[in-house]
Amino acid sequence: MSDERTPQVPTEEGRAQDPWGAQGGPALTPRGTPQKAPVTARRGDEIHAFPETAVGEGDVRTAGEAGPARGTSLWRDAWKRLLRNRLAVFGMFVVGFIAVAVLVGPAIIKAATGFTYDYIPPGQAVSYPPFTSPEGAFSWTHPMGTDAAGRDMLARVLQGGRISLMVGVISTFVSILIGVTWGATAGYLGGKVDDLLMRIVDVLYAIPYMMIVIVLLAFFGGRTPLQQIFLLFAALGAVSWLTMARIVRGQVISLKNQEYVLAARATGVSTPKIIFRHIVPNALGPVIVYATLTIPSVMLQEAFLSFLGLGVQAPYASWGSLAQEGIQNIAVFPWQLIFPGVTMALTLFSLNFLGDGLRDALDPQMRKF
Amino acid sequence: MFRFIVRRLLVTVPMVLVVITLTWALIRLAPGNFYASERKLPPAIEKNIRTKYGLDQPWYVQYGRVMRNIMTLDFGNSLRYESETVNDVLKRTVPVSAAVGICAYLLALLVGTTMGTLAALKQNSKLDYAAMGLSMLGISMPNFVLGPLLVLVFSLSLYWLPPARWGGFPSRSIVLPVLTLSAIYMAYIARLTRAGMLEVLRSDYIRTARAKGLTERQVVLRHALRGGLLPVVSFTGPALAILITGTVVVERIFALPGLGTYFINANLNRDEPLILGIVAFTSILVLVFNLIVDIAYGFIDPRIRY
Amino acid sequence: MTARKTTRILTFVFVAASLLAACGPPVQKSEFFGKVEPPPGQTLRYITGSEPESLDPAMSSGQPEARIDVALYEGLVEYHPKTMEPIPGVAESWKVNGNASEFVFFLRHNAKFSNGDPITARDFVYSFKRGLRPELASRVAFLAWEIKDAEAYNTGGAFVRDPKTGRFVLASEAEESGGGGAAEQTTAAATGEDAAPDTEFHRRMHQPNRLFVPTDEKERAKAFKANPKLAALVEGKELVPATADDVGVEAVDDYTLRITLRQPAPYFMGLVQHQFFRVVHEKTVEKYGVNWTKPGNIVCSGTHMLAEHKPYNELVVVKNPYYWDAAQVKLDKIVFYPLDDQTTMMNLYKAGEVDATYNHTVPSAWLRAGLRQASDYMDAPENGSVYWQINTTAPPMNDKRVRKAFAMAIDRDALEKFRVVSKANNVFVPSGILHGYPSPKGYDLDIEGAKKLLADAGYKDASGKFDASKFPATSVEVIYNTNESNRQVAEFIQAQWKQNLGLTIGLRAIEWKTFLSTRAKLEYKGFAGGAGWSGDYMDPYTYLGLFATEGGDNGTGWYDPKFVDMLNAANREPDQAKRYAMLSKAEEYLLDNAPIIPLTKPATSWMKKPYVKGMYPNAATLHAWKFVYIEHDPAKWDRGMPDMTTDQLAEVKE
């Protein structure tokens, strides 16, 4: 792994989750066989465990009850469990609120005050503190103040949220798409194919991904800022699927020898059906958890790329790029860091709660605590 | 076991070669070159430079040179910093990154395991909530925000610690980078420990230990910790490899002359030998660390077989 | 933790953050910024910018290296700490001939290297010729191309000789336009017998310039293609490769150095201050090769010598006891910190960990918040120009009316206010910086004029008025290399064009090396922002010369032989005022063709603690270190900027 990935902690963690992936050892949380599973094999799941969320709800189930045999009810069950988890609901609420604010907010601000993320007022650029009018009196015009060029921070934070969330969601989707396909193929087919596919993942880990981004942007450099942003999604997604592939592969390996899969195979169920009806739904828990972790990870990666000048294009901004800008002025205009920083941290905080809740909901084994 | 190690080591060599080849291809694909600067050079001067560094030779000759370099583990001189060999750079920067990384990891280990163990023992207490809330915050706070905040408080307001630069090891200048870097690891380790301990504390052998009449302290220190820390061990390998190879953002915020700083600049400067040398070093290190962790695992947990 | 509790905590965090944010910008209340505590003794801690690429003065081109090289090596002349004019260095005095094509330097007899070896004229001859070696491949060697036959040697050229008569083909014979200029320069007056005795070599130097062609066959074929006349001239002749002995530098005796140029270059005295022309120690360089600049190997010639070099960390120089003027050198030690992150260096400065920074180090937001009023803030108009380049080869920007229209639709005064530090500049050569240079009339804000030009270029509606919708705005974009101030300028100008012309031009930031490659290959459409040029010397030619070479420096695709002729004619003019007027005419011609959009002239903008004396806000922010010292008596500290109105330097400390 090249060192420039290090600021994005979930990536490191994701790697740490699966040192087994490379040699086909026990994978993450093999469900259904808790007694046989080495304690250590749980480590991946436990990283983000917040097990107390389940305590006191008196809802201890066994694997069999929530097992894949119940088909679609798995989802309803999971949803019910999720709703019972107050922190997860809280996380969901916050993320939902921010998503809505980011979607409709800029239009409301424009209607209310006339400011947009890229409007530079004429004359000398002045940074107003929050709730301050040009005369220094209290005012609702700029609730988050203005940035170094005099642009409304609230409008920029909301617009930046659009890009950051989009970067998070789209890149994560790309990473799920490639990662699940790659990992499931490697895990289920095993043997030489598995070896080859996973060596490719290892090699890709080691290539300096900054060079990849430089080359990508140089060759497909967007003509418009929007095209550039989509290219960024692709670039970020293309590198964040690696860990996903490892996780999925580990899951699939541990699942494919489970009794119920063997039973399905014995009764003559076709291979694709086994994979998609029996294995993939069971592997989804870690996938979803890791996906919620990938979102913050790519958001931070995007910030890092902006830090190097390879991220979103001006006058667009992202939370990451806003925070970068704010850091430079932290000693004089602290609000330029605080608002994007706090909004970003709040979103990530909520996403972590949501991810923990989802994992708990989808993986009833964890609920024994 | 032995066969497993040999197989893994054997596969490492071709993998590093593939990594180097692909990286080299990427560098060649990337626009720009190491000597370009604001003033465009007269073509004749450019020709002198290309001749001097063998850039006018066919690609397979240049590739052959790269392969020879990696085989002999001598990457030659940096293109941008002509009087420095890549190996000099590695020799000088790895200790810096490693000092910061290992200190950060030890700190994280100490605080994280303590926090995690206490939280697990007092599950659902205020202490537990505080510890876990803090670690969640640690995970959500980007280090490029945390670092400057620490600087603002400890260097610019209190004037206690230098805000940046490397003052050697040990020195006061290492404190802030270590704190910034360790925050996130502290958070992870605390959560890992807590989860591991919770699981172990409910296991049969702990019940047995308690039934034997051992004190709680003995139960925890002698029996539970060993099992509860296993997840932390698995986390240590890759994390340490990454920490030793430098963490770019922290090195940048604090202007540390570590491997990460060099690597970023080498990429931006298209300094081919330096990029290749660092990539070779880090990929070998990461692969070897992963291997060591896998082996160590077998010793700690006898249930695991290869 | 319940959700309610979490909500409460988060609410608290948010409110606390808002309060903290609302407390407003900390206005600069104290007289100085941050901690003011002189380090003990005479040690200066200085931030130089990026890690120096090389400590070999012949190899580096940048300012970060120049700041260090000024300490390590001395040249014939040194920079005046205030005016940047040449002051005596190793050369005690010098003589220039009538048309500035020959320079004779008289070296002081007591100049020594840091190992005690004397510095003689031969050392300079060695240093110059070594810098020109093709196999050294110095990137800045072209600075010395003005020296006679230096280009031929440096680029691996060969002279063309008729084997029968032994006569060399002259450069003038190959000139496409027939060339009266070349003939004229051959008659350049020598410096005369009183300056230095005539020699065989000297007479050779005053022969007309010889033609040279690339020795390399492929290159030569290319040259023939470019100039068909060449092939005929070379046909049947023998090629004589140029050697170091051909280069027009001569040690007349141990302490007299004569430099002959290929053509008049009145700015040459400014050029020899550059680090490329500083003297290096032959034995050391030859012995250690590429490692000669390592501590332990290196032998220096400047006020200080290298003691320690930890790349990306610090570089320590200590006083050179053999320096001829060592009694005047007050700093025992200078510690250079290679740093290029503004926030980091301002933090170090505030915390009192460094004593001074280099130019452009104060973030503009900090200045707006009051740092400008601090008594340790240094500012001076800079010998530099910030402009955007235009790709003149692709439509619609291949029409000079369109280019001019875009240049005219920018309110530079507003830009000046917006940028805080930079000053508006509507011409290419920064106005008011070069004494006596009359700037031509530049681009002023003229929205109607701009619209009319665009309408003339065909972007009009039925009534003949400019119609923004007709302009292919999407086939034009602004590329710039990523950095904070480039981005701000780009955003501002984007807003200006939107407001004044109704045209929205997209912005694209790209990474530096990609940017350079894109610009050099003319792969961009429209504008390339972020170009800034700091003059190499105090003369308009350092700017105008950028556009005098085809496929050379400019990255705009604009090359006009007429412009080049105007420059050459001006350089042959011995009278400074007349020469400046001619150069000004040339600049006017350049602006009329508008391959660039001039924007601002930067200001130096840096910080220095009040106890650092003898360090002046000069136009290039290069400091001759022998004048700098640490003042421990607070009564004598600088409060505000040092007096720059006289050439007088701060009084020497007792």
Side-chain angles (χ1 to χ4, degrees):
Chain A
M1 175 161 174
S2 54
D3 46 353
E4 81 274 22
R5 269 201 211 99
T6 50
Q8 291 79 46
V9 170
T11 314
E12 294 163 8
E13 179 272 328
R15 231 181 119 68
Q17 282 182 334
D18 193 24
W20 301 101
Q23 91 279 0
L28 301 166
T29 324
R31 251 157 301 143
T33 53
Q35 314 85 318
K36 279 187 220 154
V39 171
T40 51
R42 291 191 171 280
R43 70 202 174 276
D45 272 335
E46 288 292 354
I47 287 173
H48 283 268
F50 217 0
E52 75 279 4
T53 54
V55 169
E57 288 170 38
D59 189 6
V60 178
R61 295 178 189 218
T62 63
E65 277 174 292
R70 298 197 23 196
T72 52
S73 70
L74 172 86
W75 299 104
R76 210 179 308 145
D77 257 17
W79 178 245
K80 264 195 244 160
R81 278 193 295 265
L82 185 67
L83 288 184
R84 272 200 297 263
N85 182 338
R86 277 175 294 180
L87 277 175
V89 171
F90 166 78
M92 209 157 44
F93 174 75
V94 173
V95 171
F97 174 77
I98 289 177
V100 171
V102 149
L103 275 181
V104 300
I108 296 177
I109 296 174
K110 195 173 181 194
T113 63
F115 291 112
T116 59
Y117 69 94
D118 62 347
Y119 174 72
I120 302 176
Q124 178 170 0
V126 182
S127 287
Y128 300 117
F131 295 114
T132 310
S133 75
E135 293 76 37
F138 180 88
S139 142
W140 284 99
T141 338
H142 300 296
M144 288 188 180
T146 62
D147 79 347
R151 291 173 292 198
D152 183 43
M153 273 307 281
L154 181 60
R156 283 183 75 70
V157 166
L158 290 175
Q159 188 275 335
R162 273 189 196 181
I163 292 193
S164 280
L165 288 181
M166 263 203 314
V167 163
V169 172
I170 296 181
S171 305
T172 303
F173 183 74
V174 173
S175 97
I176 290 177
L177 211 67
I178 309 179
V180 169
T181 316
W182 197 279
T185 312
Y188 194 78
L189 296 181
K192 291 249 160 67
V193 179
D194 178 29
D195 241 16
L196 179 73
L197 290 182
M198 290 334 275
R199 288 300 84 76
I200 293 177
V201 169
D202 285 347
V203 164
L204 290 180
Y205 258 126
I207 293 178
Y209 118 98
M210 207 166 122
M211 274 329 274
I212 301 181
V213 176
I214 289 175
V215 170
L216 264 183
L217 289 178
F219 279 86
F220 308 101
R223 292 284 299 129
T224 67
L226 273 176
Q227 282 174 12
Q228 181 99 4
I229 290 169
F230 277 96
L231 199 68
L232 200 65
F233 296 154
L236 288 170
V239 288
S240 54
W241 65 268
L242 299 172
T243 310
M244 183 67 84
R246 290 185 149 192
I247 289 174
V248 172
R249 171 183 169 277
Q251 278 292 303
V252 170
I253 285 180
S254 78
L255 289 173
K256 76 175 179 188
N257 291 322
Q258 301 261 307
E259 285 88 345
Y260 71 89
V261 177
L262 294 176
R265 210 177 286 149
T267 52
V269 181
S270 69
T271 306
K273 205 169 176 190
I274 290 177
I275 295 180
F276 291 106
R277 274 300 294 272
H278 299 284
I279 295 184
V280 166
N282 269 286
L284 271 185
V287 168
I288 291 183
V289 173
Y290 187 68
T292 59
L293 292 176
T294 307
I295 295 177
S297 149
V298 289
M299 275 161 67
L300 293 180
Q301 283 191 30
E302 186 279 319
F304 179 63
L305 288 181
S306 297
F307 188 56
L308 295 172
L310 300 167
V312 289
Q313 295 295 333
Y316 292 94
S318 68
W319 286 340
S321 70
L322 285 173
Q324 296 289 4
E325 231 178 293
I327 283 160
Q328 298 183 357
N329 302 335
I330 184 174
V332 283
F333 307 134
W335 59 90
Q336 289 177 10
L337 170 64
I338 285 165
F339 289 110
V342 167
T343 318
M344 185 170 177
L346 184 67
T347 311
L348 299 189
F349 206 72
S350 312
L351 274 173
N352 274 322
F353 280 133
L354 184 60
D356 280 355
L358 276 177
R359 201 271 328 278
D360 288 350
L362 284 165
D363 188 358
Q365 268 304 299
M366 295 307 303
R367 298 171 59 75
K368 67 181 177 179
F369 305 130
Chain B
M1 184 72 164
F2 179 71
R3 271 184 54 200
F4 164 74
I5 296 174
V6 170
R7 207 187 70 200
R8 279 278 295 263
L9 281 177
L10 280 182
V11 95
T12 303
V13 176
M15 275 176 64
V16 170
L17 291 186
V18 172
V19 168
I20 290 295
T21 305
L22 289 175
T23 310
W24 178 78
L26 273 179
I27 299 170
R28 288 183 65 93
L29 279 176
N33 48 49
F34 75 94
Y35 53 81
S37 62
E38 174 61 40
R39 181 198 275 267
K40 192 183 167 198
L41 296 175
I45 296 245
E46 207 173 318
K47 192 184 147 271
N48 282 347
I49 295 172
R50 298 185 70 83
T51 311
K52 177 174 177 181
Y53 296 101
L55 301 175
D56 52 349
Q57 289 158 339
W59 67 267
Y60 48 84
V61 176
Q62 299 188 42
Y63 179 68
R65 206 164 48 217
V66 166
M67 284 296 121
R68 202 175 55 236
N69 285 350
I70 170 102
M71 290 306 187
T72 55
L73 289 180
D74 173 12
F75 294 90
N77 285 45
S78 153
L79 292 177
R80 185 178 173 88
Y81 309 111
E82 206 193 17
S83 64
E84 280 197 84
T85 68
V86 174
N87 291 347
D88 283 346
V89 171
L90 287 175
K91 252 180 241 154
R92 202 180 46 242
T93 55
V94 170
V96 173
S97 296
V100 175
I102 291 172
C103 283
Y105 195 76
L106 289 180
L107 180 70
L109 205 60
L110 193 74
V111 179
T113 48
T114 315
M115 246 165 65
T117 311
L118 290 179
L121 291 176
K122 303 241 155 68
Q123 199 190 350
N124 295 326
S125 67
K126 278 200 175 131
L127 182 80
D128 184 15
Y129 292 146
M132 287 306 108
L134 208 66
S135 80
M136 195 72 108
L137 202 66
I139 290 170
S140 307
M141 175 91 101
N143 51 8
F144 63 83
V145 174
L146 180 63
L149 281 176
L150 289 176
V151 168
L152 189 66
V153 175
F154 292 103
S155 308
L156 302 182
S157 304
L158 299 170
Y159 293 116
W160 284 356
L161 295 163
R165 290 199 63 256
W166 177 244
F169 177 80
S171 73
R172 290 185 316 147
S173 68
I174 204 174
V175 177
L176 291 183
V178 165
L179 279 181
T180 310
L181 195 54
S182 67
I184 193 114
Y185 291 93
M186 224 181 261
Y188 273 120
I189 291 173
R191 301 192 77 189
L192 282 169
T193 311
R194 180 179 177 281
M197 287 296 284
L198 279 178
E199 183 157 328
V200 169
L201 284 174
R202 279 166 181 76
S203 66
D204 295 339
Y205 74 92
I206 294 295
R207 228 171 284 156
T208 314
R210 285 213 177 101
K212 275 198 311 193
L214 294 178
T215 63
E216 190 63 21
R217 174 186 294 263
Q218 281 172 316
V219 169
V220 172
L221 293 182
R222 286 230 191 107
H223 299 275
L225 262 182
R226 181 169 167 162
L229 288 185
L230 268 176
V232 178
V233 173
S234 78
F235 180 67
T236 300
L240 257 186
I242 286 156
L243 284 167
I244 289 172
T245 56
T247 40
V248 173
V249 170
V250 170
E251 285 181 13
R252 204 181 152 116
I253 293 170
F254 294 100
L256 302 180
L259 201 58
T261 308
Y262 265 88
F263 188 63
I264 288 284
N265 286 327
N267 274 291
L268 294 178
N269 292 331
R270 311 285 192 271
D271 194 337
E272 184 186 300
L274 200 49
I275 300 176
L276 294 178
I278 296 177
V279 166
F281 175 79
T282 48
S283 48
I284 292 172
L285 197 71
V286 170
L287 290 171
V288 168
F289 263 81
N290 275 340
L291 179 62
I292 290 174
V293 168
D294 291 343
I295 296 166
Y297 236 80
F299 285 108
I300 296 171
D301 190 338
R303 282 175 299 186
I304 294 166
R305 289 278 169 270
Y306 296 98
Chain C
M1 189 170 4
T2 63
R4 214 176 317 123
K5 264 188 200 156
T6 319
T7 323
R8 222 181 293 151
I9 292 170
L10 288 173
T11 318
F12 171 75
V13 169
F14 219 90
V15 169
S18 313
L19 281 178
L20 186 63
C23 63
V27 181
Q28 182 59 32
K29 289 181 201 91
S30 50
E31 186 184 4
F32 303 112
F33 182 58
K35 214 166 157 183
V36 180
E37 210 174 273
Q42 287 293 333
T43 299
L44 179 79
R45 297 159 303 171
Y46 184 67
I47 295 180
T48 39
S50 324
E51 168 69 23
E53 288 176 40
S54 171
L55 293 181
D56 185 338
M59 293 302 286
S60 64
S61 57
Q63 291 259 321
E65 293 86 7
R67 294 183 188 104
I68 297 169
D69 288 345
V70 169
L72 295 181
Y73 310 100
E74 186 153 76
L76 294 163
V77 288
E78 189 51 88
Y79 295 104
H80 186 283
K82 283 181 175 178
T83 61
M84 304 309 288
E85 294 294 321
I87 56 171
V90 175
E92 251 169 338
S93 61
W94 51 90
K95 270 199 175 131
V96 187
N97 70 347
N99 67 351
S101 63
E102 189 163 278
F103 296 75
V104 179
F105 294 90
F106 305 100
L107 276 51
R108 61 184 78 248
H109 292 226
N110 57 346
K112 288 195 176 87
F113 285 105
S114 61
N115 65 350
D117 288 358
I119 301 176
T120 66
R122 273 172 253 292
D123 291 304
F124 277 96
V125 172
Y126 168 77
S127 300
F128 293 6
K129 289 184 176 175
R130 165 186 178 264
L132 285 166
R133 283 180 192 166
E135 62 274 16
L136 187 73
S138 163
R139 277 189 278 167
V140 283
F142 63 87
L143 286 177
W145 283 4
E146 291 301 347
I147 299 176
K148 193 163 173 116
D149 288 335
E151 183 179 359
Y153 170 53
N154 181 232
T155 62
F159 301 111
V160 185
R161 186 168 59 190
D162 191 326
K164 282 166 244 148
T165 60
R167 195 189 78 89
F168 284 98
V169 178
L170 299 183
S172 52
E173 293 172 50
E175 269 179 39
E176 280 161 293
S177 52
E184 198 178 317
Q185 69 188 264
T186 56
T187 59
T191 20
E193 282 298 320
D194 60 323
D198 201 8
T199 59
E200 163 72 35
F201 180 82
H202 187 221
R203 277 190 293 277
R204 187 142 58 88
M205 284 299 109
H206 282 274
Q207 300 291 315
N209 283 341
R210 290 174 288 180
L211 173 73
F212 67 91
V213 293
T215 314
D216 184 73
E217 227 160 297
K218 266 191 235 150
E219 296 288 322
R220 197 160 62 230
K222 253 192 253 167
F224 287 172
K225 226 185 229 168
N227 184 356
K229 246 177 151 180
L230 273 182
L233 279 171
V234 175
E235 185 63 45
K237 308 266 168 53
E238 60 179 350
L239 294 178
V240 185
T243 66
D245 295 334
D246 291 307
V247 179
V249 214
E250 184 190 12
V252 181
D253 59 48
D254 273 358
Y255 299 103
T256 310
L257 181 77
R258 181 158 51 200
I259 302 176
T260 314
L261 307 185
R262 61 178 169 188
Q263 62 187 7
Y267 49 85
F268 189 74
M269 278 312 291
L271 212 51
V272 286
Q273 295 173 303
H274 192 277
Q275 65 251 39
F276 182 85
F277 297 94
R278 291 178 183 244
V279 67
V280 298
H281 189 253
E282 174 169 3
K283 277 191 203 130
T284 310
V285 177
E286 295 304 320
K287 184 171 169 197
Y288 295 106
V290 79
N291 289 321
W292 78 270
T293 55
K294 294 243 165 91
N297 301 350
I298 190 170
V299 170
C300 301
S301 57
T303 53
H304 292 79
M305 53 193 193
L306 186 66
E308 231 181 316
H309 182 201
K310 299 182 204 147
Y312 277 97
N313 191 12
E314 63 181 17
L315 186 145
V316 182
V317 302
V318 296
K319 193 170 162 176
N320 172 6
Y322 287 104
Y323 181 66
W324 62 269
D325 201 11
Q328 277 295 314
V329 179
K330 291 169 215 85
L331 287 176
D332 292 326
K333 190 162 132 186
I334 311 175
V335 187
F336 294 103
Y337 294 144
L339 284 171
D340 47 18
D341 183 69
Q342 281 191 335
T343 314
T344 308
M345 60 182 104
M346 290 314 287
N347 288 347
L348 282 167
Y349 181 83
K350 186 172 186 230
E353 301 274 326
V354 300
D355 306 312
T357 64
Y358 68 100
N359 50 345
H360 311 297
T361 47
V362 188
S364 57
W366 296 42
L367 289 176
R368 272 186 225 129
L371 201 51
R372 176 161 243 175
Q373 278 72 48
S375 292
D376 46 349
Y377 175 67
M378 298 290 128
D379 197 8
E382 184 158 32
N383 179 20
S385 180
V386 175
Y387 54 94
W388 281 9
Q389 285 159 293
I390 302 176
N391 181 354
T392 59
T393 60
M397 304 312 291
N398 56 358
D399 186 330
K400 83 174 184 189
R401 290 171 295 189
V402 178
R403 300 199 291 267
K404 278 169 87 175
F406 276 94
M408 284 155 66
I410 297 168
D411 183 351
R412 289 180 178 73
D413 294 330
L415 180 62
E416 174 177 323
K417 274 197 198 129
F418 178 74
R419 291 287 299 140
V420 189
V421 261
S422 318
K423 296 273 174 287
N425 188 36
N426 59 3
V427 287
F428 181 34
V429 180
S431 52
I433 303 283
L434 304 167
H435 186 69
Y437 179 72
S439 282
K441 185 184 165 333
Y443 302 114
D444 292 319
L445 177 67
D446 181 0
I447 299 170
E448 287 320 305
K451 283 183 176 167
K452 192 174 169 303
L453 279 172
L454 284 170
D456 291 348
Y459 308 105
K460 56 188 172 191
D461 57 18
S463 65
K465 280 246 174 70
F466 168 61
D467 181 359
S469 65
K470 293 274 194 322
F471 188 83
T474 48
S475 60
V476 181
E477 66 174 342
V478 178
I479 60 163
Y480 62 96
N481 65 298
T482 323
N483 95 21
E484 183 71 13
S485 74
N486 281 347
R487 203 199 67 223
Q488 286 175 5
V489 171
E491 285 175 344
F492 180 87
I493 289 175
Q494 187 188 40
Q496 283 272 316
W497 285 339
K498 199 170 170 181
Q499 201 176 309
N500 296 342
L501 298 176
L503 297 172
T504 305
I505 310 293
L507 305 181
R508 185 150 67 99
I510 45 187
E511 172 262 349
W512 176 234
K513 293 279 181 179
T514 310
F515 172 81
L516 288 175
S517 157
T518 311
R519 193 181 66 183
K521 292 182 186 154
L522 292 173
E523 281 165 354
Y524 65 103
K525 284 183 172 171
F527 309 89
W533 185 244
S534 296
D536 280 328
Y537 40 88
M538 299 294 278
D539 189 277
Y541 189 70
T542 186
Y543 297 93
L544 300 173
L546 291 180
F547 289 86
T549 41
E550 191 168 12
D553 220 342
N554 56 62
T556 63
W558 182 79
Y559 173 76
D560 191 334
K562 191 180 162 202
F563 175 69
V564 180
D565 286 346
M566 287 168 92
L567 291 184
N568 286 340
N571 279 341
R572 283 192 291 270
E573 172 58 53
D575 182 71
Q576 181 78 335
K578 276 191 203 154
R579 174 171 172 268
Y580 272 2
M582 289 164 84
L583 286 173
S584 180
K585 274 268 179 293
E587 187 185 353
E588 196 177 344
Y589 183 75
L590 173 88
L591 291 175
D592 184 56
N593 281 284
I596 55 158
I597 299 182
L599 295 171
T600 56
K601 44 192 172 191
T604 53
S605 188
W606 50 286
M607 309 286 296
K608 122 184 141 49
K609 298 284 184 195
Y611 51 75
V612 180
K613 299 275 284 179
M615 201 177 200
Y616 300 95
N618 57 43
T621 324
L622 280 176
H623 310 286
W625 297 110
K626 69 172 161 180
F627 300 103
V628 182
Y629 61 95
I630 306 286
E631 177 59 70
H632 288 273
D633 178 4
K636 292 184 187 160
W637 285 359
D638 281 340
R639 293 175 193 277
M641 264 187 270
D643 181 19
M644 293 294 285
T645 52
T646 68
D647 287 2
Q648 213 76 60
L649 304 176
E651 55 284 296
V652 176
K653 207 176 68 161
E654 304 311 321

